[in-house]
Amino acid sequence: MRTATRQTTGYGQEGMFSGPLKPMKFSVFEGQEPSQIIFQFKANPPAVTFKLTGETDGIFHIQPDGLLYHNGTLDRETRAVHKLEVSALDAHGATVDGPVHITVEVKDINDNRPMFLQSKYEGSVRQNSRPGKPFMYVNATDLDDPATPNGQLIYQIVLQLPKINNVMYFQINNKTGGISLTVEGSRELDPVKNPSYNLVVSVKDMGGQIENSFSDSTSVDIMVKENIWKAPETVEIVENSTDPHPIKITQVRWNEPGAQYSLADKEKLPRFPFSIDQEGDIYVTHPLDREEKDSYVFYAVAKDEHGKPLSYPLQIDVKVKDINDNPPMCPSPVTVFEVQENEKIGSSIGTLVARDMDEENTMNSVLVYRIVDQSPKSPTEGLFLVERYTGMFQLAKQSLKKQDAPQYHLTVEVSDKDFKTLCHVQINVVDINDQIPIFEKSDYGNLTLAEDIAVGSIILTIQATDADEPFTGSSKILYRITEGDSEGRLGIDTDPQTNAGYVMVKKPLDFETAAVHNIVFHAENPEPLVPGVKCNSSSSAKFTLIVTDVNEAPQFSQQVFQAKVSEDVAIGTKVGNVTAKDPEGLDISYSLRGDTRGWLKINHVTGEIFSAARLDREAASLYRVQVLATEVGGSSLSSTANFHLTLTDVNDNPPRLVKEYTGLFFCYPLKAPGSLIFEATDDDQQSFRGPQFTFSLGSESLQNDWEVSKINGTHARLSTKHTDFEEEIYNIPILINDGGRPPLEGAVSLPVTFCTCVEGRCFRPAGQQAGIPTVGMAVGVLLTTILVIGIILAVVFIRMKNKGKDNVESAQASEVKPLRK
């Protein structure tokens, strides 16, 4: 074996190819050429040689110097894992280390093609079967490792015969091999048109990849069977049946035996009157009432033994047939009609519409009308007739007079073929409008009002009377102003009880527009007068309204004045104007209120507004102030309006950093060039594209060390060009250009720190941080504190000792003194 050109193919747990003797695991691809080195074990004295045992299969060997290799081709399908043992021996052949377990996993390569279990498959499917539900499967196997793409199989239908209109009727689950119908196949398959289909199905390994994959194919013959899972015809059930229930009304059948049937009530009825047994027979469980519900729609469901639907539910339609079991019903206890005194013979009075709950447009609901009684019978009987099938009433013999009878009561028989009902009709004779409204007086004189009288004030009460029947359309009076109020400042409301008219102010009066109004008003009825009767001067009246002047505040032409200027206009530029007028014609003086920034001034006479200071859109893009208009002389009344000034942007703000960057750092020493990202902004108004900044270094001397590159319109990357930096802070000048008109450039500085890092964070010794004492300073402070405490304790101790001596001497002296009596 030539070891000078060794090519290692084994991979140990540590990713190395030599080392001491210890348990290890290697992975080797199958199918490689023999004489491949796996690992070099190193001997520790007194070991001088190695021995290999275990599942070597005559393929694995070890040289005396510890070189583990294989000299035969490995096959994962023969043995996927080889369990080996390596021992280290001394010069006498005695084991000094081991044996240790060595595991060699044979990794799979794609060296086996997939194979279908059958060269031909046969199956059948019912027409209208549920799309996506497999009705048969094809299966293939592959000896390669299923945990790798080598053994991952993908199924595909490559051919369908016949293929109608280039539409696929069948589909396959590419992982399971389950064949099912497509939506089109579920809808279009018909055993009469095409009783059978042939499919060519392929299988590929490598997860279906085209390159480096193996494949196989098989033929699938499919027979199409007629679908018997069909909705039955609409079922008709006679209502209120007296036959014993439940009664079978129809049936459904699944294509195969063993289906589990159920009914689904989509209407969520409180009492569902149908059931189904496990043979598919459907029953009505109790009598139905057509007047309660005339039709039912529900669904029959077939499920398999696991409770999964076998196909789409079938819609069951049930119609309830009517029988004549409902009498006619009157629309109300009494139906009231009105007829005027002068109506002609044959005039329609009204229509009585009775109801029948039985089915419409059948003999059960055809109604017949007949008058059986009239009260009173004066001046004669038979004054009315009713159309037999429509219920329309007409005058039969003569026009009516209210003085003969103000109302008539009719009893009407309404019948169908089996039932009769009596309904009551009341006919009121209505007085005709043959009397005109007449005012109690024709002139209501003069009325003087101030122009500021409140809207809604009643200023005059007028009265007209009508001799027609009270509280009818013939006697109700409506008042209408016909002259003297073209602007509609006045209105007249009618009292429904007394017919009095209340003249009131509907809009503000205006002395300046008209000081005197000669008002003429007219009285009329809602009902038109009968032919030949017309209103005359008695139905009209007048009064004179005199409006007196009241001093009013000036009035602006509009409440909000708007203007737009550029923020860089020169001081003193006219930016807008306001206008107001005084109703009394007095001069007006203009002034500003709320000019908090002092940006504006106004011409007190003309109302022109000028800039008084430098404008700044970034401070306020919409500047709002109030304008005060005060009359000169008089009562000095005033009014206000709003002035809104919109400032358009000019490029007057250079770019800047979006925030203060204080924490930018690189770990020292720098092992590879690095980069940092920063963001810029601009206080000017941006276009819809947003800022489009450009970035550059602020000093040419830095170009060998640093580089600035643009990421987008607002972000840039600061990168180092090498790794040779000192452990210190670098302030990198950056120029940011906004590309505006004119372009503005901002100069900023980015502080970047090179520092020692601990756990990915910048670490600085405490002595290097501002405001924190060094270790020497801390020790000095501590020693000074201890010394002061020692001095204080010594002083206290000495004083306490001296005081003790004084107390002893005093005690001894007291012993020799005589006692005092």
Side-chain angles (χ1 to χ4, degrees):
M1 178 183 298
R2 292 180 298 172
T3 60
T5 58
R6 292 174 180 172
Q7 179 182 1
T8 302
T9 59
Y11 299 93
Q13 294 166 321
E14 291 81 7
M16 299 183 296
F17 299 100
S18 65
L21 182 63
K22 61 179 180 179
M24 299 189 73
K25 180 183 290 186
F26 301 96
S27 296
V28 180
F29 281 101
E30 68 173 332
Q32 293 187 354
E33 295 181 0
S35 299
Q36 300 292 328
I37 298 171
I38 299 175
F39 195 76
Q40 173 71 62
F41 291 103
K42 294 181 179 180
N44 293 322
V48 296
T49 186
F50 293 87
K51 182 178 70 173
L52 178 67
T53 58
E55 299 171 345
T56 62
D57 292 347
I59 297 175
F60 293 95
H61 304 276
I62 192 167
Q63 292 182 353
D65 63 353
L67 184 66
L68 178 66
Y69 66 97
H70 66 90
N71 63 354
T73 302
L74 300 179
D75 184 9
R76 190 199 67 84
E77 289 72 38
T78 301
R79 189 189 295 273
V81 177
H82 292 263
K83 302 291 187 180
L84 308 177
E85 292 181 343
V86 177
S87 302
L89 310 178
D90 60 14
H92 303 290
T95 301
V96 295
D97 192 3
V100 298
H101 296 287
I102 305 298
T103 302
V104 179
E105 292 182 347
V106 183
K107 298 186 69 173
D108 187 47
I109 63 172
N110 191 25
D111 57 350
N112 292 279
R113 63 174 293 190
M115 299 286 292
F116 277 103
L117 300 182
Q118 299 176 213
S119 61
K120 185 175 184 179
Y121 290 83
E122 294 181 351
S124 64
V125 62
R126 293 278 183 182
Q127 67 178 136
N128 304 124
S129 292
R130 186 173 61 179
K133 179 178 175 59
F135 59 85
M136 67 176 297
Y137 289 84
V138 295
N139 299 99
T141 59
D142 192 313
L143 295 178
D144 289 319
D145 188 357
T148 68
N150 304 330
Q152 293 178 1
L153 305 184
I154 297 296
Y155 298 92
Q156 181 183 6
I157 297 177
V158 297
L159 182 64
Q160 169 190 301
L161 294 175
K163 193 173 185 181
I164 313 299
N165 297 326
N166 203 32
V167 175
M168 291 295 294
Y169 290 165
F170 301 90
Q171 59 187 347
I172 189 169
N173 186 305
N174 64 357
K175 291 183 174 58
T176 66
I179 300 176
S180 61
L181 295 181
T182 63
V183 174
E184 293 81 3
S186 175
R187 185 173 56 246
E188 300 295 339
L189 279 187
D190 187 346
V192 176
K193 296 179 180 179
N194 289 291
S196 65
Y197 288 82
N198 176 258
L199 305 180
V200 175
V201 178
S202 71
V203 61
K204 290 184 179 181
D205 59 15
M206 298 298 290
Q209 297 180 11
I210 297 177
E211 297 182 0
N212 303 321
S213 63
F214 294 112
S215 64
D216 191 18
S217 62
T218 187
S219 176
V220 180
D221 291 333
I222 300 174
M223 298 295 296
V224 181
K225 297 181 179 180
E226 181 183 5
N227 180 27
I228 61 174
W229 179 249
K230 297 180 180 178
E233 299 292 333
T234 299
V235 179
E236 292 189 349
I237 302 176
V238 176
E239 68 171 331
N240 297 322
S241 170
T242 58
D243 294 337
H245 286 73
I247 300 174
K248 179 180 177 181
I249 56 174
T250 187
Q251 67 182 28
V252 294
R253 294 290 187 270
W254 177 242
N255 296 308
E256 305 293 341
Q260 299 177 0
Y261 300 100
S262 61
L263 298 181
D265 173 23
K266 299 297 183 180
E267 298 177 288
K268 305 300 181 184
L269 299 175
R271 185 184 181 194
F272 185 61
F274 302 97
S275 64
I276 188 171
D277 61 20
Q278 290 312 303
E279 297 298 324
D281 295 335
I282 300 176
Y283 301 85
V284 58
T285 58
H286 57 264
L288 305 180
D289 185 356
R290 194 205 68 84
E291 287 70 43
E292 178 182 330
K293 186 171 177 59
D294 62 357
S295 65
Y296 295 84
V297 177
F298 54 93
Y299 297 86
V301 181
K303 297 182 180 180
D304 61 17
E305 65 275 11
H306 303 294
K308 293 184 178 181
L310 294 168
S311 184
Y312 291 117
L314 300 181
Q315 179 171 312
I316 311 298
D317 295 299
V318 175
K319 180 181 178 182
V320 184
K321 294 185 65 175
D322 185 49
I323 61 173
N324 191 24
D325 56 349
N326 291 277
M329 294 187 298
C330 303
S332 61
V334 178
T335 301
V336 179
F337 298 131
E338 289 186 348
V339 58
Q340 291 186 342
E341 289 180 309
N342 62 343
E343 290 290 347
K344 297 179 180 179
I345 296 175
S347 296
S348 173
I349 299 173
T351 301
L352 176 65
V353 181
R355 295 181 299 131
D356 193 307
M357 296 298 294
D358 291 314
E359 186 174 2
E360 294 182 0
N361 303 318
T362 66
M363 289 302 298
N364 296 332
S365 61
V366 174
L367 303 181
V368 177
Y369 299 85
R370 183 171 67 92
I371 299 174
V372 296
D373 185 53
Q374 170 191 314
S375 176
K377 296 180 174 54
S378 60
T380 181
E381 282 191 286
L383 290 174
F384 309 95
L385 59 84
V386 62
E387 207 286 325
R388 180 176 176 83
Y389 291 103
T390 66
M392 184 183 71
F393 285 79
Q394 296 174 288
L395 283 176
K397 291 186 176 180
Q398 65 183 53
S399 298
L400 305 180
K401 297 294 183 181
K402 189 168 185 178
Q403 52 266 36
D404 293 337
Q407 62 184 213
Y408 292 88
H409 297 277
L410 305 179
T411 301
V412 181
E413 179 188 88
V414 184
S415 59
D416 59 20
K417 66 176 186 177
D418 297 311
F419 299 95
K420 295 180 180 180
T421 301
L422 296 180
C423 297
H424 299 282
V425 175
Q426 176 180 310
I427 299 178
N428 296 327
V429 182
V430 179
D431 180 41
I432 61 174
N433 191 14
D434 55 357
Q435 301 293 321
I436 65 172
I438 298 175
F439 274 99
E440 62 180 5
K441 56 182 178 180
S442 60
D443 191 345
Y444 283 84
N446 297 334
L447 181 62
T448 301
L449 298 173
E451 65 176 332
D452 63 349
I453 186 172
V455 172
S457 301
I458 296 175
I459 61 175
L460 180 65
T461 301
I462 58 179
Q463 184 71 62
T465 58
D466 192 301
D468 287 313
E469 182 180 0
F471 305 109
T472 66
S474 299
S475 62
K476 181 179 179 180
I477 298 177
L478 302 178
Y479 298 95
R480 179 168 53 91
I481 296 176
T482 58
E483 296 179 23
D485 186 26
S486 60
E487 296 184 358
R489 298 182 184 273
L490 302 179
I492 306 175
D493 291 342
T494 301
D495 187 317
Q497 300 299 320
T498 64
N499 271 340
Y502 302 111
V503 183
M504 63 179 61
V505 179
K506 295 290 187 182
K507 295 180 180 179
L509 303 181
D510 187 10
F511 169 83
E512 288 73 25
T513 301
V516 178
H517 299 265
N518 294 310
I519 305 298
V520 177
F521 37 83
H522 181 72
E524 56 193 14
N525 305 126
E527 292 286 340
L529 293 168
V530 298
V533 179
K534 295 182 179 181
C535 290
N536 53 37
S537 59
S538 300
S539 298
S540 297
K542 66 179 181 177
F543 77 97
T544 300
L545 175 60
I546 300 172
V547 181
T548 60
D549 187 30
V550 175
N551 189 22
E552 299 172 271
Q555 297 177 355
F556 281 96
S557 58
Q558 59 196 65
Q559 279 302 305
V560 178
F561 295 85
Q562 300 186 40
K564 180 187 293 186
V565 297
S566 175
E567 65 174 328
D568 64 345
V569 297
I571 296 175
T573 301
K574 179 181 176 181
V575 297
N577 65 282
V578 297
T579 56
K581 292 183 179 180
D582 184 73
E584 289 73 40
L586 297 176
D587 291 335
I588 294 175
S589 174
Y590 298 96
S591 60
L592 295 179
R593 178 187 296 170
D595 183 15
T596 56
R597 298 183 181 274
W599 283 357
L600 304 176
K601 63 181 179 179
I602 191 168
N603 187 306
H604 300 294
V605 178
T606 64
E608 295 176 304
I609 300 176
F610 301 88
S611 63
R614 181 179 177 275
L615 306 180
D616 186 4
R617 187 202 67 84
E618 287 69 39
S621 61
L622 178 61
Y623 192 53
R624 298 180 176 91
V625 297
Q626 282 190 328
V627 182
L628 195 68
T630 306
E631 63 183 15
V632 179
S635 302
S636 298
L637 297 177
S638 63
S639 58
T640 60
N642 294 302
F643 179 71
H644 294 174
L645 179 62
T646 300
L647 301 181
T648 59
D649 188 48
V650 297
N651 193 28
D652 58 351
N653 289 276
R656 58 178 175 82
L657 293 177
V658 75
K659 64 179 181 178
E660 183 179 358
Y661 287 90
T662 58
L664 303 179
F665 71 93
F666 289 107
C667 291
Y668 178 85
L670 195 61
K671 296 182 179 179
S675 63
L676 301 168
I677 296 176
F678 61 93
E679 181 183 0
T681 187
D682 191 324
D683 294 325
D684 289 315
Q685 185 176 12
Q686 302 300 329
S687 66
F688 70 94
R689 294 175 56 225
Q692 296 296 318
F693 299 141
T694 58
F695 305 85
S696 61
L697 285 172
S699 174
E700 293 183 359
S701 63
L702 299 177
Q703 292 182 355
N704 292 330
D705 303 324
W706 301 88
E707 180 182 21
V708 177
S709 56
K710 179 178 179 179
I711 298 176
N712 55 33
T714 57
H715 292 73
R717 179 181 285 105
L718 175 64
S719 306
T720 63
K721 285 190 171 182
H722 56 80
T723 61
D724 189 16
F725 290 90
E726 298 296 330
E727 187 177 6
E728 60 181 67
I729 298 176
Y730 292 80
N731 289 298
I732 311 302
I734 306 293
L735 297 180
I736 309 174
N737 192 299
D738 63 7
R741 297 181 182 178
L744 294 181
E745 190 170 66
V748 300
S749 178
L750 282 177
V752 181
T753 302
F754 287 81
C755 59
T756 302
C757 291
V758 176
E759 295 182 354
R761 296 189 179 184
C762 187
F763 171 76
R764 301 181 192 175
Q768 297 180 5
Q769 300 184 20
I772 298 179
T774 64
V775 175
M777 293 173 62
V779 172
V781 172
L782 180 60
L783 291 176
T784 302
T785 303
I786 294 173
L787 180 59
V788 172
I789 294 173
I791 293 172
I792 294 173
L793 291 175
V795 171
V796 172
F797 177 75
I798 293 170
R799 293 190 62 185
M800 290 179 64
K801 186 175 182 181
N802 292 336
K803 186 176 181 181
K805 289 181 179 180
D806 293 341
N807 291 338
V808 171
E809 293 173 356
S810 176
Q812 292 173 348
S814 64
E815 290 178 358
V816 298
K817 289 182 180 180
L819 294 175
R820 294 182 180 178
K821 295 182 180 179

